[in-house]
C-alpha cells in the first residue's frame, strides 16, 4: 500500500512538472474601420509589442523620435531628457544638476533634423535648447510683448519648423500656439481652436439683455493638447474632448486646416499625434483606450492596444503620454503609469496592408496589386482588400470583377464607376433589342386594354365583379383626382377583400424596397436587415395616424366614421404604390451621378403622399382647408403622444417582467 501511494505521489509530481501549453495571443484586440459601413470590425494584428524599456524613468510625459531614430523622452519627475537608441539602450541624458542647463519638470521635447533639442522646460517657464552633443546652447524666456499681456509663459509642448520658428503650446492656453522666431521675438498666436457653441448659449443670447450677457462666462476655445510636425512642414494640433471634432487639425503656414475641423474617430480623449514618412497619422486616445492609425486625410484605418491603469501586463499601456514613429514604422509610446517606453513593431500583415494602402492612395494600382493579393491570402474578410483590388480591376478595365469586389466592400463610388462602364457596353451591344422591346411595351400598354375590353364585350361581368373593379378604379382615380376620388369613397362601402388586397400590395412594395432596391441606393447586407423593424417603422406611423386622426377629428366635429378613416387612409397610399415601382426599377439602372432622378421621384412621392392624406382628412371629415391644416397638425402631435405613452408602458412592463423574472431566479436558486 505504501509503495502504491509513493508511485501515485511520484506520478502526480511528474504531471505537475510538465510545462503547460502557452499561447501567443496578444493582450489586446486589433480592429479596422470600415468607412463604407461606418463600423469597427476585428482583424488580425497590425502591430505587436516589441519591447518595453525602463531606463530608470521617474515620470515620462512626452516622446519624440529623431531623424536618426534616436528616441528623446521628457522625464518630468527626474528633471531630464533621456535619449535612447533604436534598441532602447541609454545614449545620454540632457539637463544638468545646476546652472542654466538645469531643467525643472520638462513636459515637452522636440528634436530638429540636425539634432538640435528643444525642451519645454515648464518648471523654469522657458524653452531650453541643447546641441546634438547634449551641450546646453541657449534659452527662450517669455517675450517682451504687450500682446502676451499677463499670460503665464509655461510651455508644455512644442515643435520647430525648418525656418527655426518655434510653435509652443502654453499650459491651459485657449489662444492657440505661441510663435517665436529664432531670436525669441513674439510673432503672434497660431492655430487657435474655435469656440464651441451650444443650444444653451444660443438661448441665452436670444433671451438675455446686454448687461446680463456681460456677466455670463464666455465660451472659450479648447486648449491645444499636443502638437506635431511632418516632413512637408504641416503642423498637426491634437485637441481632446469635443467628441472628436477637430481632434487633429492639419495646419499650413497660413493656419488653414486641411482637415476642415473634421470629426475624428477615436479622438475624444486624444493625448498625442505622430506622422510617419508615408503620411499615416497615429494617435493615442484615452477615451477609447486605443492606439489609432489614420490615412493622410484623417480617415480612420486601424485601432489596437489597450489602456489599463492597473496594468502589469506586457504590451498594455497604463497612462500613455506621448507617441512617436521611427523610420522602420515602429511605434514608441511613453507611459507615465508604468514608467516605461513601449515599442510596437509592425507585423508582416501590417506591412503588406499599409504598403498596399500607400500605393493605392498614390494611384499606383498596378504596383499595389501583389500587396493586396498577399493581404487577401492572409485575410479574405478584410473589406479594404476588396476595395483595393476593385480599384485595380477597374484600372485594368475588368469591370465585371471590379463590380463584384466593390459590392463586397460596400464601396458605392467604385461600384458606380464599374457599373457605368458595364451598362455602356451592354447598351452598345443590345441597343436595337432594347429599342424594339420598348416599342413593343408601348404598343401593349396602348392597345392591350382595348383588346381585352373587346374580347370581354360579349361577356357581361357579374355585379360583384363590377363592384370590385369600380373599387380598384377609385383607388387609381384618387392619384390624379384626389377630391373627386375621396368624395366617391366617402359614402361607399369598400369590400374588405379590396382593402386587404391594396394593403397586401403596399406591403409587397415595401418588402421589395427593403430587399431588392439597387445596391447604390441601399448598400446593405441582406442578412443584416431587420425585417420586423423595417416593417414596423413603415406600418406603425400609418396605424397611429388612423387612430389619432379619428380621435382628433371626432372631437373637432369631423363627420368621418372610423371605417371611412380606415378606408381613406388605405386608399391614400396610392402614391406610394404607384411611385415605388419605377423608383425600384430605376435604382437598378442609374449610377450615382444620375441618382438625382431617383431622389426627385422619391421626394415627389412623399410630397404627393402627404397631400393625399391631407385631402383625405378634408373630404372625409368635411373640413375647410384651414381646419384641415390645423387638425392635421394636432393629429401629428397626438401621434407623438401615443408613441411616448407606448414607450412608457413598454418600459414599465419590461421592468415589471424583469422584477418577477429575477424573483423567480432567486426562488429557484435557494429552493
Amino acid at each position: 500500500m505504501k509503495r502504491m501511494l509513493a508511485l501515485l505521489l511520484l506520478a502526480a509530481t511528474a504531471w505537475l512538472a510538465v510545462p503547460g501549453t502557452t499561447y501567443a495571443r496578444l493582450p489586446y484586440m486589433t480592429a479596422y474601420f470600415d468607412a463604407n459601413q461606418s463600423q469597427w470590425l476585428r482583424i488580425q494584428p497590425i502591430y505587436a509589442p516589441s519591447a518595453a524599456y525602463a531606463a530608470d524613468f521617474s515620470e515620462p510625459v512626452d516622446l519624440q523620435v529623431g531623424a536618426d531614430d534616436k528616441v528623446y523622452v521628457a522625464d518630468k519627475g527626474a528633471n531630464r531628457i533621456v535619449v535612447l537608441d533604436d534598441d532602447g539602450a541609454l545614449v545620454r541624458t540632457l539637463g544638468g544638476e545646476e546652472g542654466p542647463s538645469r531643467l525643472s519638470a520638462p513636459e515637452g521635447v522636440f528634436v530638429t533634423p540636425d539634432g538640435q533639442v528643444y525642451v519645454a522646460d515648464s518648471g523654469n517657464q522657458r524653452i531650453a535648447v541643447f546641441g546634438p552633443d547634449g551641450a546646453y546652447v541657449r534659452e527662450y524666456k517669455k517675450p517682451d510683448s504687450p500682446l502676451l499681456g499677463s499670460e503665464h509663459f509655461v510651455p508644455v509642448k512644442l515643435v520647430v519648423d525648418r525656418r527655426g520658428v518655434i510653435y509652443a503650446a502654453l499650459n491651459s492656453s485657449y489662444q492657440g500656439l505661441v510663435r517665436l522666431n529664432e531670436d525669441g521675438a513674439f510673432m503672434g498666436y497660431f492655430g487657435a481652436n474655435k469656440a464651441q457653441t451650444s443650444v444653451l448659449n444660443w438661448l441665452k443670447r436670444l433671451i438675455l439683455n446686454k448687461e446680463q450677457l456681460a456677466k455670463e462666462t464666455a465660451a472659450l476655445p479648447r486648449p491645444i493638447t499636443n502638437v506635431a510636425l511632418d516632413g512637408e512642414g504641416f503642423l498637426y494640433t491634437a485637441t481632446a474632448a469635443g467628441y472628436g471634432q477637430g481632434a487633429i487639425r492639419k495646419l499650413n503656414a497660413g493656419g488653414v486646416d486641411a482637415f476642415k475641423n473634421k470629426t475624428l474617430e477615436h479622438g475624444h480623449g486624444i493625448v498625442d499625434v505622430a506622422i510617419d514618412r508615408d503620411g499615416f497619422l497615429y494617435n493615442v486616445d484615452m477615451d477609447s483606450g486605443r492606439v489609432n492609425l489614420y490615412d493622410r486625410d484623417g480617415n480612420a484605418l486601424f485601432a489596437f492596444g489597450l489602456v489599463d491603469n492597473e496594468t502589469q501586463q506586457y504590451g498594455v499601456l497604463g497612462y500613455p503620454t506621448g507617441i512617436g514613429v521611427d523610420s522602420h514604422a515602429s511605434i514608441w509610446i511613453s507611459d507615465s503609469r508604468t514608467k516605461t517606453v513601449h515599442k510596437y513593431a509592425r507585423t508582416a500583415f501590417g506591412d503588406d496592408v499599409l504598403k498596399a494602402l500607400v500605393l493605392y492612395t498614390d494611384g499606383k494600382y498596378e504596383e499595389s496589386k501583389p500587396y493586396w493579393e498577399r493581404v487577401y491570402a492572409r485575410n479574405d474578410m478584410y473589406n479594404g482588400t476588396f476595395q483595393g483590388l476593385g480599384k485595380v480591376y477597374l484600372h485594368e478595365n475588368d469591370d465585371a470583377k471590379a463590380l463584384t469586389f466593390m459590392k463586397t466592400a460596400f464601396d458605392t463610388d467604385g461600384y458606380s464607376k464599374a457599373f457605368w462602364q458595364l451598362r455602356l457596353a451592354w447598351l452598345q451591344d443590345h441597343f436595337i433589342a432594347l429599342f424594339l422591346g420598348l416599342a413593343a411595351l408601348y404598343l401593349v400598354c396602348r392597345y392591350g386594354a382595348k383588346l381585352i375590353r373587346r374580347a370581354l364585350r360579349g361577356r357581361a361581368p357579374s355585379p360583384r365583379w363590377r363592384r370590385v373593379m369600380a373599387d380598384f378604379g377609385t383607388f387609381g382615380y384618387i392619384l390624379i383626382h384626389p377630391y373627386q376620388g375621396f368624395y366617391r369613397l366617402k359614402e361607399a362601402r369598400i369590400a374588405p377583400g379590396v382593402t386587404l388586397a391594396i394593403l397586401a400590395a403596399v406591403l409587397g412594395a415595401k418588402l421589395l424596397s427593403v430587399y431588392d432596391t439597387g445596391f447604390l441606393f441601399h448598400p446593405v447586407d441582406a442578412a443584416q436587415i431587420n425585417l420586423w423593424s423595417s416593417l414596423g417603422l413603415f406600418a406603425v406611423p400609418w396605424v397611429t395616424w388612423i387612430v389619432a386622426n379619428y380621435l382628433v377629428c371626432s372631437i373637432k366635429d369631423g363627420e368621418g366614421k372610423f371605417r371611412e378613416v380606415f378606408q381613406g387612409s388605405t386608399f391614400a397610399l396610392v402614391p406610394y404604390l404607384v411611385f415605388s415601382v419605377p423608383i425600384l426599377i430605376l435604382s437598378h439602372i442609374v449610377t450615382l451621378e444620375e441618382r438625382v432622378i431617383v431622389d426627385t421621384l422619391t421626394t415627389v412621392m412623399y410630397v404627393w403622399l402627404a397631400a393625399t392624406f391631407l385631402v383625405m382628412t378634408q373630404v372625409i371629415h368635411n373640413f375647410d382647408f384651414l381646419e384641415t391644416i390645423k387638425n392635421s397638425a394636432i393629429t401629428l402631435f397626438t401621434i407623438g403622444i401615443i408613441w411616448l405613452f407606448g414607450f412608457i408602458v413598454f418600459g414599465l412592463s419590461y421592468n415589471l417582467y424583469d422584477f418577477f423574472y429575477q424573483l423567480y431566479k432567486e426562488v429557484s436558486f435557494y429552493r
Side-chain angles (χ1 to χ4, degrees):
M1 188 65 179
K2 291 182 179 179
R3 289 181 180 179
M4 182 64 69
L5 289 174
L7 287 173
L8 288 174
L9 183 61
L10 182 62
T13 305
W15 176 261
L16 292 174
V18 174
T21 304
T22 58
Y23 299 91
R25 184 176 179 181
L26 296 180
Y28 53 76
M29 181 188 74
T30 301
Y32 74 93
F33 185 72
D34 187 343
N36 297 320
Q37 301 182 77
S38 299
Q39 60 179 325
W40 289 94
L41 301 170
R42 192 162 187 168
I43 198 172
Q44 63 244 61
I46 301 295
Y47 276 88
S50 174
Y53 306 111
D56 198 25
F57 289 116
S58 176
E59 187 184 358
V61 295
D62 195 23
L63 180 146
Q64 173 77 18
V65 179
D68 56 358
D69 282 343
K70 288 188 174 62
V71 181
Y72 296 76
V73 183
D75 190 356
K76 180 179 179 180
N79 301 318
R80 61 178 182 164
I81 303 297
V82 177
V83 185
L84 307 176
D85 66 13
D86 190 40
D87 295 322
L90 180 65
V91 176
R92 69 172 66 91
T93 60
L94 307 180
E97 294 292 331
E98 56 184 20
S101 65
R102 182 179 180 277
L103 302 176
S104 176
E107 294 189 40
V109 60
F110 181 83
V111 55
T112 63
D114 61 358
Q116 295 277 333
V117 182
Y118 288 72
V119 181
D121 192 8
S122 307
N124 289 324
Q125 299 186 20
R126 65 169 184 169
I127 296 171
V129 183
F130 296 85
D133 58 353
Y136 173 79
V137 177
R138 60 184 177 275
E139 68 177 6
Y140 295 96
K141 286 284 196 178
K142 179 179 179 180
D144 185 13
S145 172
L147 297 176
L148 284 172
S150 59
E151 184 171 5
H152 294 289
F153 189 75
V154 184
V156 289
K157 308 294 177 185
L158 77 167
V159 295
V160 183
D161 67 14
R162 65 189 66 176
R163 301 167 299 168
V165 177
I166 303 170
Y167 297 81
L170 303 185
N171 185 32
S172 301
S173 176
Y174 61 86
Q175 300 186 72
L177 302 172
V178 171
R179 284 200 301 177
L180 306 177
N181 65 15
E182 288 184 288
D183 299 324
F186 179 63
M187 300 175 64
Y189 289 100
F190 182 85
N193 290 311
K194 294 181 179 179
Q196 299 296 304
T197 57
S198 64
V199 176
L200 181 60
N201 290 334
W202 178 79
L203 288 174
K204 286 180 179 179
R205 288 197 300 270
L206 192 66
I207 298 172
L208 302 180
N209 56 36
K210 291 183 179 180
E211 291 76 13
Q212 291 172 324
L213 286 174
K215 296 178 182 178
E216 291 289 323
T217 304
L220 300 177
R222 289 173 286 136
I224 292 173
T225 306
N226 220 315
V227 60
L229 186 72
D230 69 9
E232 297 179 353
F234 285 97
L235 269 77
Y236 296 79
T237 62
T239 305
Y243 297 99
Q245 185 178 23
I248 295 179
R249 294 184 303 144
K250 182 180 180 180
L251 307 177
N252 63 15
V256 178
D257 179 17
F259 290 166
K260 298 180 180 179
N261 207 43
K262 76 183 298 179
T263 300
L264 199 74
E265 292 287 335
H266 290 180
H268 183 58
I270 190 169
V271 174
D272 194 8
V273 59
I275 309 94
D276 69 12
R277 295 184 179 184
D278 291 320
F280 290 116
L281 276 69
Y282 304 74
N283 86 343
V284 185
D285 180 63
M286 290 295 293
D287 185 60
S288 64
R290 298 286 186 268
V291 181
N292 304 284
L293 279 73
Y294 307 86
D295 66 14
R296 298 167 186 172
D297 297 320
N299 301 310
L301 296 176
F302 303 101
F304 72 91
L306 180 64
V307 176
D308 181 2
N309 191 46
E310 302 298 327
T311 183
Q312 295 182 354
Q313 192 171 7
Y314 176 66
V316 178
L317 302 168
Y319 191 89
T321 54
I323 185 171
V325 185
D326 63 23
S327 62
H328 307 295
S330 295
I331 299 174
W332 297 74
I333 298 176
S334 55
D335 186 346
S336 64
R337 169 65 180 81
T338 60
K339 300 180 181 180
T340 56
V341 170
H342 300 262
K343 182 180 180 182
Y344 297 85
R346 192 178 286 181
T347 63
F349 176 73
D351 272 332
D352 287 338
V353 169
L354 294 171
K355 185 62 177 177
L357 284 170
V358 169
L359 296 171
Y360 166 81
T361 305
D362 291 340
K364 300 176 182 178
Y365 303 125
E366 289 295 332
E367 295 179 38
S368 71
K369 187 175 182 179
Y371 293 98
W372 284 127
E373 289 174 341
R374 286 209 294 268
V375 172
Y376 184 71
R378 288 191 175 100
N379 187 338
D380 59 358
M381 299 296 290
Y382 172 47
N383 281 348
T385 309
F386 296 101
Q387 193 167 4
L389 285 174
K391 283 283 188 181
V392 173
Y393 294 132
L394 194 63
H395 184 70
E396 294 176 347
N397 296 321
D398 190 348
D399 300 310
K401 215 167 187 179
L403 193 77
T404 303
F405 275 74
M406 292 299 187
K407 186 173 183 179
T408 305
F410 295 95
D411 183 354
T412 54
D413 185 59
Y415 183 94
S416 178
K417 293 175 182 177
F419 178 73
W420 190 91
Q421 295 290 345
L422 288 172
R423 188 185 65 179
L424 178 63
W426 188 91
L427 288 173
Q428 289 172 342
D429 295 338
H430 301 84
F431 179 76
I432 295 176
L434 178 64
F435 177 78
L436 293 175
L438 291 174
L441 181 63
Y442 170 76
L443 292 174
V444 168
C445 293
R446 183 176 178 84
Y447 299 106
K450 292 182 180 180
L451 293 173
I452 293 173
R453 283 196 298 269
R454 186 177 300 174
L456 297 175
R457 184 174 295 172
R459 302 177 183 179
S462 66
R464 183 178 179 183
W465 179 250
R466 283 201 301 270
R467 179 185 171 188
V468 169
M469 294 303 296
D471 290 341
F472 280 117
T474 301
F475 181 71
Y477 189 74
I478 284 173
L479 182 68
I480 307 300
H481 306 283
Y483 278 99
Q484 294 91 330
F486 282 116
Y487 275 118
R488 281 188 194 178
L489 192 68
K490 181 173 172 59
E491 299 299 333
R493 277 190 170 273
I494 304 298
V498 173
T499 304
L500 291 175
I502 293 172
L503 291 177
V506 171
L507 182 62
K510 178 60 181 178
L511 287 172
L512 284 174
S513 70
V514 170
Y515 283 104
D516 200 41
T517 299
F519 173 76
L520 291 177
F521 297 88
H522 195 50
V524 297
D525 183 0
Q528 302 299 321
I529 294 175
N530 188 329
L531 177 60
W532 295 111
S533 175
S534 300
L535 292 180
L537 291 174
F538 180 75
V540 169
W542 179 76
V543 173
T544 49
W545 162 269
I546 294 173
V547 175
N549 184 269
Y550 174 72
L551 293 175
V552 170
C553 294
S554 297
I555 295 172
K556 296 292 184 178
D557 299 325
E559 298 178 1
K561 302 174 183 177
F562 184 80
R563 173 183 56 80
E564 295 172 341
V565 174
F566 180 79
Q567 287 179 174
S569 298
T570 301
F571 277 66
L573 293 171
V574 60
Y576 179 83
L577 191 59
V578 171
F579 278 88
S580 61
V581 175
I583 288 173
L584 187 67
I585 294 172
L586 285 170
S587 70
H588 291 275
I589 297 174
V590 302
T591 63
L592 286 181
E593 290 75 12
E594 303 152 351
R595 71 170 297 160
V596 65
I597 301 171
V598 174
D599 291 342
T600 301
L601 276 178
T602 304
T603 302
V604 170
M605 180 187 72
Y606 283 115
V607 171
W608 208 318
L609 199 63
T612 306
F613 272 90
L614 200 66
V615 172
M616 183 275 297
T617 302
Q618 183 177 0
V619 172
I620 295 297
H621 295 288
N622 198 20
F623 290 143
D624 60 32
F625 184 73
L626 290 179
E627 282 182 316
T628 303
I629 296 295
K630 181 177 68 173
N631 291 330
S632 296
I634 297 173
T635 298
L636 294 176
F637 177 76
T638 306
I639 289 173
I641 296 297
I642 292 173
W643 289 0
L644 179 62
F645 179 74
F647 285 133
I648 293 173
V649 170
F650 173 78
L652 293 176
S653 301
Y654 179 79
N655 288 337
L656 187 62
Y657 159 78
D658 186 62
F659 169 75
F660 283 111
Y661 178 69
Q662 296 297 335
L663 186 63
Y664 166 76
K665 287 174 63 178
E666 289 286 338
V667 172
S668 300
F669 181 77
Y670 289 107
R671 186 173 56 185

